[in-house]
Amino acid sequence: MNDRLIIFDTTLRDGEQAPGIALSPDDKVAIAKQLALLKVDVIEAGFAAASAGDFTSVARIAAEVPGPTIACLARTHADDIDQAADALKAADNKRIHVFISTSPIHMEQMLHMSPSEVLKSVKEGVARAKRYVDDVEFSPQDATRSDPEFIIEVCRAAVAAGATTINIPDTVGYAMPEDFVELLTNVYDNVRDGNEDVIISTHCHDDLGLAVANSLSAISAGARQIEGAINGIGERAGNTSTEEVIMALSTRADYFNVEIGADTTQIFETSRLVSSLTGYPIQYNKAVVGRNAFAHESGIHQHGVLQNRETYEIMDPASVGRESVLVLGKHSGRAAFQDALKKMGIVLEDVDFQRSFDRFKELADRKGEISEDGIRAIVTEETATDSVEMQFEAIVVSGGSHEVPVATVTLARNGDVITNTAEGDGMVNAAFVAIQDAYGIPATLLDYRVSPITPGADAMAEVSVIIQVGSSSFSGRGVSTDVVEGSARAIVSAMNKAAFDRGVTENPRDSEA
Ligand code: KIV
Ligand code: ZN
């Protein structure tokens, strides 16, 4: 049997729930557009009822990202479902994803509901979602710690009320592959029960490192949708990694016998974009997208790969979009830069092109050569123009190991130049204090990371920061050959998001007549 398996990506909903990630609506639209290039079938754009920012993101993705089905999460509450339907209005293909917990511990401790109340709520929630959209997904949260008979009962009720996808979440990453297959087989036989309109789906978490294995094992039980997040990001240890599932299915197509629609050559770019906008680094040895996933260290391995790549590589790096051969120099002009972008599959509007080109020239003058990774980092930074309260202009730091460091930052707001000076207990701290004061927003630096993009003493580095303002956190990134300047750029980008968030006080639907 050779049939289609649906790739459902929840980077923007469950993935974004990881601690410290705070994507702006513009970040989410950028990731959703890249997920559309990756050709995932479903993008879960958010949980509209969770916040005004989430509502805006779902609505914008619904309006601006054609191609995949756009899904929105909702509890069984009427208001959640109404908001999901409202946010999804502009999408060509839309899905409401309704969920409620079914395990005894969640029902008792979190919902304070009896099983029969949960059952009633499922019927009402799914039926309400069905009034708005044909495509309704239902998930019994914490399914793998629920009573299997109760799962069957609620899922049958969900199908009777109109659900077309039944998703079985291993919410806390508790399942073992064989148990999971048994549960999914039970659902396939007793809920789908021959109904060709119902798709059985998996949604696994990685607490025991089994999310991808559990998801793939469910295919043999008839699952035809797998949910995951790029780079495996998500609550705690994260979600099933979307790119690992895609590459397992494509590399071992002989084993799985299912077809997918994903364009694997977009994997690397998608992973890089998610890592840079979330500020979550990718572990070096991460499958498929890690820095070492195609690197060979031992002499024997290197020798083998030089003879024939397949001696030690089961995937071609080009198949995941990983061949990095482009290098531009300080003499490269607009045409060469444009050509490089084209080869990298990057299309920019005129303004974004100009900003990226100017920045490329500035860095190439300092550094000499800029690799493909460097060009990507520049484009990511320069195209993140949304929610720009202030722009970084310059930073000067003085002081050394025996003097208190002093930073003077110059920022621009609507053509006005703002300069601020502050001391700190280090150069980066001084820059942080000076920038924070310029915005007048008290913030705490939660996370600070520097990753080299190019090797060598004059390396270009990418700085990622996460700041906390009140109870919210915001990520930012900056690229430079100078670590203090890169840090200042990253802090400004995060502060811009914080300033924008302060301005988003109303649900945008309230302003609709
Ligand atoms: O892990 C989980 O149970 C979820 C559901 C909302 C599907 O994310
Ligand atoms: Zn989840």
Side-chain angles (χ1 to χ4, degrees):
M1 177 178 52
N2 217 14
D3 47 11
R4 186 73 149 69
L5 184 132
I6 296 165
I7 302 288
F8 176 117
D9 186 87
T10 183
T11 306
L12 298 174
R13 197 279 299 169
D14 215 353
E16 209 236 0
Q17 283 174 221
I21 296 184
L23 297 170
S24 69
D26 280 3
D27 291 341
K28 290 191 182 176
V29 171
I31 292 174
K33 286 186 173 163
Q34 182 56 38
L35 288 168
L37 289 177
L38 178 61
K39 295 199 170 74
V40 301
D41 301 284
V42 184
I43 295 175
E44 188 162 47
F47 182 179
S51 69
D54 251 47
F55 184 94
T56 306
S57 302
V58 177
R60 283 197 48 198
I61 291 167
E64 296 173 38
V65 185
T69 294
I70 308 299
C72 180
L73 188 71
R75 287 167 296 187
T76 48
H77 306 184
D79 187 52
D80 273 32
I81 290 161
D82 296 349
Q83 293 213 45
D86 205 358
L88 287 172
K89 251 186 332 216
D92 292 336
N93 301 305
K94 43 193 140 223
R95 172 180 298 186
I96 299 181
H97 177 188
V98 180
F99 79 102
I100 192 167
S101 289
T102 47
S103 63
I105 184 167
H106 280 212
M107 289 190 291
E108 280 158 29
Q109 307 289 326
M110 288 163 53
L111 299 176
H112 307 294
M113 284 167 84
S114 67
S116 57
E117 286 167 329
V118 167
L119 184 61
K120 181 168 175 282
S121 188
V122 170
K123 291 178 186 164
E124 288 168 0
V126 172
R128 191 172 187 97
K130 195 71 180 181
R131 297 214 305 251
Y132 291 112
V133 293
D134 288 335
D135 188 348
V136 177
E137 172 168 332
F138 170 71
S139 296
Q141 186 171 220
D142 204 12
T144 50
R145 292 191 301 168
S146 303
D147 171 1
E149 281 183 18
F150 186 50
I151 293 285
I152 301 299
E153 192 179 3
V154 288
C155 290
R156 284 180 71 93
V159 170
T164 43
T165 298
I166 295 295
N167 178 44
I168 302 301
D170 184 20
T171 305
V172 291
Y174 181 71
M176 292 290 131
E178 281 179 13
D179 300 345
F180 200 55
V181 169
E182 195 181 315
L183 174 61
L184 270 281
T185 305
N186 193 3
V187 172
Y188 187 84
D189 292 344
N190 296 301
V191 177
R192 188 174 186 271
D193 194 15
N195 181 347
E196 306 251 312
D197 294 334
V198 175
I199 302 282
I200 305 299
S201 165
T202 72
H203 174 110
C204 298
H205 281 264
D206 209 27
D207 299 66
L208 294 173
L210 289 169
V212 172
N214 283 339
S215 302
L216 294 172
S217 73
I219 295 174
S220 67
R224 288 296 177 267
Q225 173 174 288
I226 292 181
E227 302 194 355
I230 296 293
N231 299 338
I233 60 172
E235 294 274 9
R236 307 180 312 279
N239 282 72
T240 296
S241 152
T242 302
E243 70 279 6
E244 289 178 23
V245 166
I246 291 174
M247 284 318 288
L249 293 175
S250 113
T251 308
R252 296 304 311 272
D254 60 318
Y255 180 84
F256 288 106
N257 255 343
V258 290
E259 281 166 9
I260 51 171
D263 176 356
T264 61
T265 64
Q266 293 292 332
I267 284 180
F268 191 57
E269 175 54 17
T270 314
S271 159
R272 194 204 56 77
L273 181 69
V274 169
S275 168
S276 106
L277 293 180
T278 56
Y280 261 46
I282 302 167
Q283 85 194 48
Y284 286 170
N285 58 329
K286 163 90 174 60
V288 182
V289 290
R291 186 168 102 172
N292 297 350
F294 295 93
H296 304 277
E297 179 67 18
S298 100
I300 293 176
H301 286 217
Q302 286 179 353
H303 176 70
V305 172
L306 287 173
Q307 300 303 311
N308 181 342
R309 187 187 57 74
E310 288 180 18
T311 49
Y312 285 99
E313 281 180 3
I314 58 165
M315 295 168 272
D316 183 344
S319 71
V320 297
R322 271 198 82 143
E323 267 181 335
S324 181
V325 284
L326 276 165
V327 177
L328 294 185
K330 62 178 170 187
H331 300 300
S332 307
R334 300 174 70 82
F337 188 67
Q338 180 71 281
D339 187 55
L341 293 184
K342 198 168 151 208
K343 288 193 177 118
M344 289 155 63
I346 300 175
V347 182
L348 296 181
E349 307 275 330
D350 289 352
V351 180
D352 287 338
F353 177 83
Q354 192 57 50
R355 288 168 61 94
S356 302
F357 180 64
D358 290 347
R359 187 95 166 87
F360 157 73
K361 287 302 272 183
E362 181 206 324
L363 286 168
D365 271 348
R366 283 198 231 165
K367 207 190 124 35
E369 281 189 338
I370 310 257
S371 67
E372 183 173 330
D373 287 345
I375 297 169
R376 284 185 199 280
I378 291 170
V379 169
T380 307
E381 185 180 332
E382 293 304 321
T383 53
T385 50
D386 57 318
S387 49
V388 171
E389 168 81 4
M390 298 209 228
Q391 265 164 348
F392 173 84
E393 295 281 313
I395 182 160
V396 179
V397 277
S398 57
S401 32
H402 302 297
E403 283 173 56
V404 177
V406 177
T408 301
V409 284
T410 309
L411 304 172
R413 175 166 36 200
N414 301 328
D416 293 337
V417 171
I418 295 159
T419 302
N420 201 38
T421 299
E423 290 182 353
D425 57 14
M427 290 185 183
V428 172
N429 181 252
F432 183 56
V433 177
I435 294 167
Q436 209 187 125
D437 289 352
Y439 279 79
I441 299 177
T444 312
L445 190 57
L446 285 186
D447 197 24
Y448 173 82
R449 221 162 295 173
V450 182
S451 334
I453 299 175
T454 49
D458 60 349
M460 248 174 79
E462 181 173 55
V463 181
S464 309
V465 298
I466 298 176
I467 61 166
Q468 182 161 7
V469 175
S471 58
S472 307
S473 48
F474 304 92
S475 60
R477 52 184 298 288
V479 179
S480 180
T481 49
D482 177 278
V483 171
V484 179
E485 182 188 313
S487 307
R489 286 177 176 277
I491 294 162
V492 168
S493 125
M495 290 301 286
N496 277 338
K497 290 179 188 169
F500 174 78
D501 188 64
R502 291 201 154 189
V504 183
T505 49
E506 287 177 359
N507 186 324
R509 291 174 318 138
D510 296 341
S511 57
E512 280 174 21

